[in-house]
Amino acid sequence: MQYEAIIGLETHVQVKTASKMFCGCATDFGAPPNTQVCPVCLGYPGSLPVMNEEAVRKTILAGLMLGCDIARLCKWDRKNYFYPDMPKNYQISQYDMPLCRGGGVDIKLKDSREVRIGLTRIHLEEDVAKNSHFETTSGVDFNRAGLPLMEVVSEPEIKSPDEAFAYLTALKEILVSGGVSDCDMEKGQLRCDCNVSVRPVGQKEFGAKIEIKNMNTISGVRRALAYEIPRQIVALEKGEKISQETRRWDDAPGVTSVMRTKEYAHDYRYFPEPDLMPVVVSDAMLAQIRELLPELPEAKRQRFMQQYGLPEYDAGVLVTDAALAAYYEQAVRWSKNPKSISNWVTTELLGKLAEAKLTIAECPIAPPQLAELVTLIDGGQISGKIGKDVFAEMFTTGKSPSAIVKDKSLAQVSDTAAIEAFVDEAIAKNPKSVMDFKAGNQAAINFLKGQVMKLSKGKVNPQMAGEILLRKLRGS
Ligand code: ADP
Ligand code: MG
Ligand code: ZN
């Protein structure tokens, strides 16, 4: 029997705001535990929430980028449960009136076909505190409690671990490009619950779904699904019945294991939050947010390929980060060689930035300077090899390439008389190679050419040097 997998993802994304969802506490990552807290996010009785409008606006922006219908009226609900990460015993969330419905994420399949994975909804809620368990004690850090969290729920339309990977990658790219979230997974800004079931091909009804909780890497999602799908199929083939349960993923052994079965399913007793007004999204507010809509990464990728004649790979690397794409476009404005600029950005520049642990915003080389370097190389003023040294110097000093070339006398020598002098010197110093060449050993010229480059410290135009050398060897 043939089986197929059905996957639906619930993705939690931390919305990028200066303050928390319902209080004024800071949202900076990495502060000492419980230093960014107040009575509201600690859940003290009697404290009152105040809605962060920026979080609502950014969630609407996400909805617009993903083609969702934006609710003109939505409300807040209490999701009731008891757990140390939420001392007021409820989380403020959105139940039956979320901010966004519908829409989708376009992904490219292996065979280059494009499909849209539909979204059910996007709602906004507050994050909960973070529990840590030590040897003999446990701790709760409330810095995370109350951070604005967007939940993006997909339709059960994802069919394979690779598609789940592509979906999350595309979603992340879109949200980052719009400034909705940094989606930094190492900081827990994007976390995902994977729902997965299998069914015999041809069967209409879905199988019972298994939910794998709290995945925090995109590759982890792919691996967990690649483990879980065959596990379910094997169980079915053995005649076992799969019943709905929640599982956890253990990354090291690469297996999932049971967390809780359906008997322990929560009943959250949702009811409307009495301390917050419903949200009215006005025409004016929607229009304002529409103005902020950026070009979507996929559209930008296509444009980069057409406008700058870049291969798909280059365009893909450049558009993953909106700031990197902007850097590239600024540099290109000063240059006649978009492909060469792309080569420098995607290899040397990204390499140096990673090495120095800098973001593109902190890049010491201004875009016009990179363009100038490419112009110097294309114009033959310096060789490509010296260009790399100049680049390294630009990166550490922030100086312009022409200043570095001038200060260090690195300009390529294209002056015939000067090259002839180096060639004469190489010939004079290496009589044996000259004899070898004359005796018919063609390869000897390569050694001599190497000597010319060495004598000139790599500065002579290699092609001219080769021509002059050949002329002299034949002529003399
Ligand atoms: P719950 O109330 O348990 O969270 P939902 O119906 O809200 O369940 O669905 C949660 C997620 O699970 C959604 O992304 C949905 O697409 C997905 N899903 C629902 N049913 C199935 C199924 N049988 N197999 C795989 N995924 C499913
Ligand atoms: Mg769920
Ligand atoms: Zn607070």
Side-chain angles (χ1 to χ4, degrees):
M1 182 129 43
Q2 287 279 348
Y3 291 87
E4 64 181 359
I6 305 287
I7 300 161
L9 300 179
E10 296 166 279
T11 312
H12 285 101
V13 180
Q14 187 188 325
V15 181
K16 191 157 114 180
T17 54
S19 59
K20 291 187 181 179
M21 189 64 234
F22 298 113
C23 62
C25 291
T27 56
D28 306 328
F29 180 81
N34 299 308
T35 53
Q36 292 169 173
V37 294
C38 74
V40 174
C41 53
L42 287 170
Y44 283 11
S47 64
L48 288 173
V50 177
M51 187 190 85
N52 180 339
E53 190 177 307
E54 182 65 7
V56 172
R57 286 175 177 269
K58 289 208 159 152
T59 303
I60 293 175
L61 178 62
L64 290 174
M65 281 193 287
L66 294 162
C68 307
D69 293 325
I70 310 299
R72 307 308 297 268
L73 177 70
C74 67
K75 71 169 168 72
W76 302 100
D77 297 283
R78 289 189 180 182
K79 178 180 180 181
N80 299 282
Y81 69 93
F82 175 78
Y83 201 63
D85 66 11
M86 183 47 82
K88 63 182 190 285
N89 291 343
Y90 59 83
Q91 177 188 25
I92 305 177
S93 182
Q94 299 188 308
Y95 184 53
D96 54 346
M97 290 172 76
L99 254 179
C100 315
R101 286 183 202 271
V105 176
D106 295 325
I107 61 169
K108 211 178 230 159
L109 304 181
K110 278 236 174 70
D111 59 6
S112 301
R113 258 186 322 125
E114 284 202 9
V115 291
R116 165 163 289 202
I117 306 297
L119 296 181
T120 315
R121 57 187 273 157
I122 304 177
H123 68 256
L124 195 50
E125 59 192 23
E126 56 178 337
D127 205 347
V128 298
K130 189 172 170 26
N131 294 340
S132 298
H133 304 291
F134 312 108
E135 226 164 273
T136 54
T137 54
S138 289
V140 188
D141 180 7
F142 285 85
N143 288 350
R144 197 179 76 179
L147 293 178
L149 204 60
M150 204 173 81
E151 180 169 343
V152 183
V153 182
S154 87
E155 288 288 296
E157 292 178 354
I158 300 167
K159 297 197 177 67
S160 69
D162 282 338
E163 284 189 31
F165 185 89
Y167 166 89
L168 287 171
T169 306
L171 178 65
K172 178 177 163 183
E173 216 172 62
I174 290 169
L175 296 177
V176 170
S177 77
V180 172
S181 171
D182 291 333
C183 295
D184 187 335
M185 301 194 82
E186 284 179 18
K187 296 180 181 166
Q189 293 174 347
L190 192 153
R191 319 191 288 269
C192 178
D193 299 336
C194 307
N195 300 271
V196 53
S197 62
V198 298
R199 65 178 172 190
V201 171
Q203 178 183 307
K204 274 239 168 62
E205 307 78 47
F206 287 160
K209 80 175 157 94
I210 301 293
E211 181 169 6
I212 312 168
K213 278 280 188 203
N214 265 324
M215 303 298 306
N216 50 22
T217 65
I218 296 181
S219 56
V221 167
R222 177 155 65 185
R223 292 206 298 135
L225 289 168
Y227 171 85
E228 183 61 22
I229 294 166
R231 187 193 71 80
Q232 291 182 23
I233 293 174
V234 168
L236 287 181
E237 299 239 280
K238 278 199 239 155
E240 289 169 22
K241 192 173 167 297
I242 292 186
S243 48
Q244 195 174 322
E245 64 186 16
T246 304
R247 298 177 76 89
R248 75 166 66 81
W249 167 248
D250 288 314
D251 205 70
V255 298
T256 62
S257 56
V258 184
M259 261 170 91
R260 56 176 183 261
T261 53
K262 204 185 174 185
E263 290 98 86
Y264 300 100
H266 288 291
D267 178 355
Y268 294 116
R269 303 269 162 176
Y270 281 96
F271 66 85
E273 165 62 64
D275 292 336
L276 286 163
M277 296 285 285
V279 183
V280 177
V281 179
S282 67
D283 288 344
M285 183 172 168
L286 257 190
Q288 266 178 10
I289 298 170
R290 254 182 234 287
E291 301 254 299
L292 302 175
L293 267 178
E295 185 180 22
L296 287 182
E298 184 51 38
K300 194 182 281 181
R301 186 170 10 244
Q302 294 299 334
R303 181 169 65 79
F304 273 32
M305 288 165 65
Q306 280 177 5
Q307 187 172 342
Y308 304 123
L310 295 181
E312 190 173 350
Y313 173 80
D314 291 46
V317 174
L318 292 169
V319 307
T320 46
D321 176 350
L324 185 69
Y327 182 100
Y328 173 76
E329 293 210 87
Q330 280 166 23
V332 163
R333 233 176 280 152
W334 298 85
S335 168
K336 291 196 178 71
N337 193 341
K339 174 59 179 142
S340 180
I341 298 274
S342 165
N343 291 345
W344 281 93
V345 171
T346 56
T347 56
E348 302 295 318
L349 191 71
L350 284 181
K352 282 268 183 219
L353 288 172
E355 215 179 278
K357 295 201 165 56
L358 294 176
T359 66
I360 186 74
E362 299 159 332
C363 180
I365 300 178
Q369 293 181 340
L370 183 67
E372 191 187 344
L373 176 67
V374 169
T375 307
L376 288 176
I377 296 169
D378 288 350
Q381 277 98 324
I382 55 173
S383 66
K385 190 161 170 296
I386 284 188
K388 290 206 175 165
D389 299 337
V390 173
F391 179 85
E393 184 80 11
M394 289 163 72
F395 197 86
T396 39
T397 63
K399 281 196 203 157
S400 83
S402 47
I404 293 167
V405 168
K406 193 157 159 267
D407 289 355
K408 303 206 153 184
S409 319
L410 293 172
Q412 177 161 282
V413 178
S414 299
D415 158 15
T416 316
I419 298 175
E420 278 185 352
F422 286 121
V423 169
D424 290 341
E425 194 180 344
I427 288 176
K429 281 187 175 161
N430 299 283
K432 180 163 182 310
S433 298
V434 175
M435 269 162 57
D436 285 352
F437 179 79
K438 288 188 173 162
N441 179 358
Q442 299 285 325
I445 196 168
N446 293 331
F447 174 78
L448 287 166
K449 198 171 151 189
Q451 293 306 304
V452 173
M453 296 312 288
K454 205 165 161 187
L455 288 167
S456 73
K457 300 202 170 63
K459 281 188 284 185
V460 298
N461 180 319
Q463 201 190 336
M464 286 178 74
E467 283 161 12
I468 292 172
L469 188 60
L470 194 62
R471 177 162 51 77
K472 294 227 172 203
L473 287 172
R474 289 215 173 118
S476 63

